[in-house]
Amino acid sequence: MKASVLAFTSFATFVASSPTPRATKVQYAGVNIAGFDFGCTTDGSCSLTGTSKPYDIVTGANAVGQMNHFVKDDTLNTFRLPVGWQFLVNGQLGGQLNPNNLGQYDRLVQGCLSSGAVLCIIDIHNYARYNGKIVGQGGPTNAQLADVWKQLATKYGKQSKIAFGVMNEPHDIPDIKAWAATVQEVVIAIRGAGATSNLILLPGNGYTSAESFVPSGSAAALAAVTNPDNTTTNLIMDVHKYLDSDNSGTHTECVKDNISNAFQPLADWLRTNKRLAILTETGGGNTASCQKYMCDQLKYLNQNADVYIGYTGWAAGGFASTYELNETPTQSGSSWTDTSLVKSCIVGAWKGV
Ligand SMILES: *[C@@H]1O[C@H](CO)[C@@H](O)[C@H](O)[C@H]1NC(C)=O
Ligand SMILES: CC(=O)N[C@H]1CO[C@H](CO)[C@@H](O)[C@@H]1O
């Protein structure tokens, strides 16, 4: 009885609202293809000597095949490609990009570019640090980080599908204005290398938390970062959000969609300040609670696509099915099966189902 009343009510609602198409949707949707960051820890140390090397991990996982699948079967169009700073320069801080290591990473980048994706995000996955010390605040100089980006921008900047993610998850940064100055130097280096219109993603403190972006002062500090011509065109705020009980992304159950405390206030700030943001990490377990909250969250981003340009889930690539936040599809012959969270939310929200 109750069910039939409900059914009638939703039918009426459907009829009344169906003529209004969804006004907006984010431009970029996809996942992280992790692997070249494996061995990196939150103090910015990245081991290059483990038994499995980054390249073996992504090759073994058929990371390029995964991207082709995500584009062809799921219509996703964006991949974030984390890589350790140490790997890029083969442990020589301040040195040139190592041709052998860059060659290996480049196969992932070229795989992204040729997959049909419209955005491939290069992400230096070092938590604003190198071997325990913060860039520009006791650790590497701003010039050393800017030089790595200059070299990467020289290589990739002519390709408009490439975006530059300045740094993964800065945290416990004592001086946020000094960090913004670091980011400013990187932006000048990237633009100066000829990457004049590629998207550059600007990361705040607190592990790039969407929730603390405004209250922590990251938003105000990073808002001052400009292009060489003093505009902020294509300088995009980079945020992360996990939906488990402590926002750590280490639990398989989710407790919150984090709209009211994170994405709504952030959207207000973005509109007021005429800026855009991208959610480059979000994830949860392959559980019913995460399906609910993740779908709600991504739906909200789609409904606010005037300020949110996209999202990439964490993570596919080298992760095994035992990883709490695994989004790696499984391959059987020429067919692929997505995890339930990818299918229902990462793809579902994108397709509008
Ligand atoms: C950018 O702003 C600075 C400081 O206000 C000014 O000196 C400089 O001329 C400006 N550059 C351009 C290209 O407008
Ligand atoms: C939504 C909210 O209140 N924020 C929560 C976001 O998720 C983290 C993890 O749940 C919680 O700690 C926050 O309280």
Side-chain angles (χ1 to χ4, degrees):
M1 173 78 164
K2 211 169 176 191
S4 69
V5 172
L6 251 176
F8 179 76
T9 307
S10 11
F11 178 71
T13 308
F14 174 74
V15 170
S17 63
S18 63
T20 312
R22 173 154 58 201
T24 53
K25 179 164 115 163
V26 297
Q27 302 165 58
Y28 306 111
V31 296
N32 282 263
I33 303 292
F36 279 102
D37 57 309
F38 285 12
C40 295
T41 53
T42 57
D43 76 345
S45 303
C46 302
S47 170
L48 299 174
T49 58
T51 45
S52 28
K53 304 286 191 302
Y55 184 61
D56 300 333
I57 292 165
V58 296
T59 311
N62 192 2
V64 172
Q66 289 181 35
M67 291 189 283
N68 289 333
H69 149 69
F70 283 127
V71 172
K72 182 165 67 71
D73 301 328
D74 293 333
T75 75
L76 295 176
N77 67 3
T78 299
F79 300 106
R80 180 170 179 259
L81 311 172
V83 62
W85 185 349
Q86 285 87 341
F87 183 78
L88 288 171
V89 296
N90 206 34
Q92 300 300 309
L93 178 63
Q96 297 299 297
L97 297 175
N98 178 273
N100 182 43
N101 292 2
L102 182 65
Q104 294 177 7
Y105 179 66
D106 185 53
R107 289 170 73 169
L108 185 70
V109 177
Q110 297 306 327
C112 180
L113 291 170
S114 61
S115 69
V118 302
L119 197 67
C120 301
I121 303 168
I122 295 176
D123 154 47
I124 297 186
H125 210 78
N126 275 69
Y127 305 88
R129 288 164 171 77
Y130 191 103
N131 294 354
K133 298 215 172 112
I134 299 174
V135 184
Q137 301 183 45
T141 62
N142 290 348
Q144 285 173 323
L145 180 61
D147 183 60
V148 173
W149 277 115
K150 178 186 167 189
Q151 295 179 60
L152 287 167
T154 301
K155 180 169 176 64
Y156 292 114
K158 288 176 194 65
Q159 172 53 260
S160 63
K161 291 178 187 170
I162 296 282
F164 300 108
V166 170
M167 182 55 68
N168 177 70
E169 296 193 346
H171 65 92
D172 301 291
I173 304 291
D175 184 340
I176 191 63
K177 285 199 171 146
W179 172 247
T182 302
V183 174
Q184 177 68 77
E185 262 192 68
V186 170
V187 168
I188 297 294
I190 290 173
R191 294 296 186 227
T196 51
S197 58
N198 303 69
L199 301 187
I200 302 178
L201 314 187
L202 314 183
N205 208 351
Y207 295 90
T208 329
S209 162
E211 192 170 352
S212 69
F213 190 70
V214 175
S216 72
S218 293
L222 291 171
V225 174
T226 64
N227 291 307
D229 67 0
N230 290 346
T231 68
T232 57
T233 309
N234 293 332
L235 302 182
I236 310 295
M237 302 306 182
D238 191 3
V239 296
H240 291 179
K241 198 80 202 89
Y242 288 94
L243 304 171
D244 55 357
S245 56
D246 58 1
N247 188 34
S248 66
T250 57
H251 303 95
T252 55
E253 295 293 340
C254 294
V255 299
K256 199 98 174 81
D257 58 23
N258 274 288
I259 292 169
S260 64
N261 67 316
F263 289 104
Q264 192 179 310
L266 176 56
D268 292 342
W269 184 90
L270 293 165
R271 284 193 190 99
T272 302
N273 292 278
K274 300 190 166 48
R275 299 304 295 262
L276 303 171
I278 185 166
L279 173 61
T280 57
E281 284 189 26
T282 186
N286 288 291
T287 56
S289 62
C290 289
Q291 268 180 42
K292 169 172 170 33
Y293 291 122
M294 177 65 69
C295 286
D296 287 351
Q297 174 190 254
L298 297 181
K299 204 189 307 176
Y300 184 83
L301 297 191
N302 278 323
Q303 289 163 348
N304 292 271
D306 59 318
V307 288
Y308 293 114
I309 64 170
Y311 59 82
T312 50
W314 183 266
F319 284 117
S321 60
T322 48
Y323 174 54
E324 289 87 345
L325 307 186
N326 176 48
E327 295 181 353
T328 305
T330 48
Q331 183 178 16
S332 169
S334 61
S335 73
W336 294 84
T337 305
D338 286 318
T339 65
S340 59
L341 192 68
V342 166
K343 189 169 176 322
S344 56
C345 299
I346 303 284
V347 177
W350 173 240
K351 288 186 168 172
V353 296

